[in-house]
Amino acid sequence: MTSDTRPGARSTAALWALPPLAALGLVFLYPLALVAWQSVSPEDGGHSLSPYAEVFAETSFGTALTHTVLIAAGATAGALLLGAALSLVIAFVPFPGGRALARFIDLFLAFPSFLITLALLFLYGTAGIANGVWTDLTGASHGPLDFLHTPWGVLLAEVTYFTPFVMRPLLAAFSQVDTGQLEAAAALGARPWRIVRTVILPEALPALAAGGALVLVLSLNEFGIVLFTGAKDVVTLPVLVYGKAILDGDYTGACVVAVVNIALSVGLHALYRAVIPRTATAGGPGRTTGTRSAGRAAPRTGGVPHRAGVQ
C-alpha cells in the first residue's frame, strides 16, 4: 500500500490535521505558554529573568528541590525493588489467588493517591489501628508509631502507591518469557535464583526501565500524598507551587517553580527516551547467553519457576 504524494492529497491531509493540532495547542500548549510567560513577568512590570533569580535565592526553593529529588529517587528505588519481587512471586510461584491478585493490579492503578495515604493513616497514624492496639495492650498513653508526618511516611506512601506502576509492565514482560528457556536452564543445573538473575530479569529490563521512569516522573509531580500525610516539614516543588500561588498570592514565583518542575519532568522523559532503546537492545542478547551461563555455573539441579499469576 503506497501513500498518495499528490499536492491535493497532501493539502487534504494537512486540513484533517489542523483540528487536533488546534485542540492540542489550546488545551495543552497555550496554558504552558502562559505559565512560562508569567514566570518572566515581574509584578513591577516588564519582562526579565529576575523572578528566577529571586526564587532560586530562597531557602525554601532549595529545600523543596532537595526533598523532591530525594523522595522521587527513594520512591522509584523502593517501587522497583518491591515491584520486581512481587511480580516474580505472582508470575512464577504458584499459589491460590495468584491470577486474581494479578487482575487486582490493574484495578489498583485506578485508585487515587490520597486513598492509599488515608489507608496508611488509618493503619499507622498516631490515632491509627496499630497504635490503638499498642495502647490497649500496654496501657500506654500513646503508641510508638509517629512517622507518617515525616519524609519517611511520605516515602512509604509513595512506594505503596507507585509499586503497581512497576508491576504492570513487569507482569506483561514475564508473561512473554519462553518457558523452554527456563526448563533448559533448570535441566542444565541452574538454581531458581540463578534462573531469575540470568534468564528472567534480562528479558524484563525494558519493562523495568519503563516502570521506573514512569514512577520517577510521577513522584516528581506528586502532590496529594504529601498533602494528605500532613507532613508540614516536607515541602516539595508541587507543594511549593501551591503555597506560593494559593497561600502567598505570589503567582509569578509559583510559575517559576512550576517551570522548574516541568523542566525536570521533561528532562527525565527525554533521558528515558534516549536510554530505553539501549536497554531493550541489551536485554535481547541476554536471552541466549543468560541461559547458557546459568546452565554452566550451577552444579546442582534446581526447580523451574512456574508462571502462575500471568498467562
Side-chain angles (χ1 to χ4, degrees):
M1 182 177 181
T2 58
S3 59
D4 195 342
T5 58
R6 291 176 298 176
R10 289 197 297 268
S11 300
T12 303
L15 288 175
W16 278 106
L18 283 178
L21 289 176
L24 178 65
L26 181 64
V27 175
F28 182 70
L29 298 179
Y30 179 65
L32 287 180
L34 283 180
V35 170
W37 184 254
Q38 182 64 34
S39 69
V40 294
S41 303
E43 294 183 358
D44 55 0
H47 302 286
S48 69
L49 295 177
S50 60
Y52 282 86
E54 294 174 3
V55 170
F56 290 172
E58 295 175 358
T59 305
S60 59
F61 174 78
T63 302
L65 181 61
T66 302
H67 284 163
T68 302
V69 173
L70 291 179
I71 291 176
T76 302
L80 284 174
L81 292 174
L82 183 59
L86 292 177
S87 298
L88 284 170
V89 172
I90 293 175
F92 297 106
V93 179
F95 64 94
R99 292 189 179 184
L101 184 58
R103 299 293 184 270
F104 177 75
I105 298 300
D106 292 330
L107 178 63
F108 192 94
L109 296 178
F111 289 174
S113 59
F114 70 84
L115 183 62
I116 306 303
T117 308
L118 285 178
L120 291 176
L121 286 173
F122 284 135
L123 288 174
Y124 307 116
T126 53
I129 296 175
N131 282 331
V133 172
W134 176 267
T135 55
D136 290 341
L137 293 177
T138 63
S141 58
H142 57 83
L145 300 180
D146 187 22
F147 66 92
L148 286 181
H149 307 294
T150 69
W152 294 107
V154 175
L155 187 61
L156 173 64
E158 292 200 4
V159 169
T160 303
Y161 178 68
F162 288 122
T163 293
F165 288 84
V166 174
M167 295 178 64
R168 184 61 267 174
L170 274 181
L171 288 173
F174 289 159
S175 68
Q176 303 299 319
V177 174
D178 185 8
T179 55
Q181 293 185 1
L182 306 182
E183 294 169 355
L188 292 173
R191 293 180 177 180
W193 171 241
R194 184 83 179 202
I195 297 174
V196 169
R197 183 169 58 87
T198 59
V199 180
I200 297 175
L201 289 184
E203 290 273 357
L205 278 179
L208 197 64
L214 177 62
V215 170
L216 185 59
V217 172
L218 291 177
S219 57
L220 278 174
N221 300 284
E222 180 56 41
F223 174 74
I225 287 177
V226 182
L227 182 67
F228 273 83
T229 55
K232 297 180 180 180
D233 295 331
V234 182
V235 178
T236 60
L237 291 180
V239 174
L240 187 61
V241 171
Y242 173 81
K244 283 184 172 294
I246 305 301
L247 303 180
D248 301 335
D250 182 9
Y251 296 103
T252 301
C255 289
V256 169
V257 180
V259 168
V260 173
N261 204 3
I262 292 171
L264 279 175
S265 301
V266 172
L268 285 173
H269 178 72
L271 179 63
Y272 161 72
R273 297 288 296 180
V275 171
I276 191 62
R278 301 181 182 181
T279 306
T281 304
R287 300 175 183 178
T288 303
T289 58
T291 304
R292 292 176 181 174
S293 62
R296 286 197 301 262
R300 285 184 282 183
T301 303
V304 181
H306 297 279
R307 186 175 296 136
V310 180
Q311 295 292 340

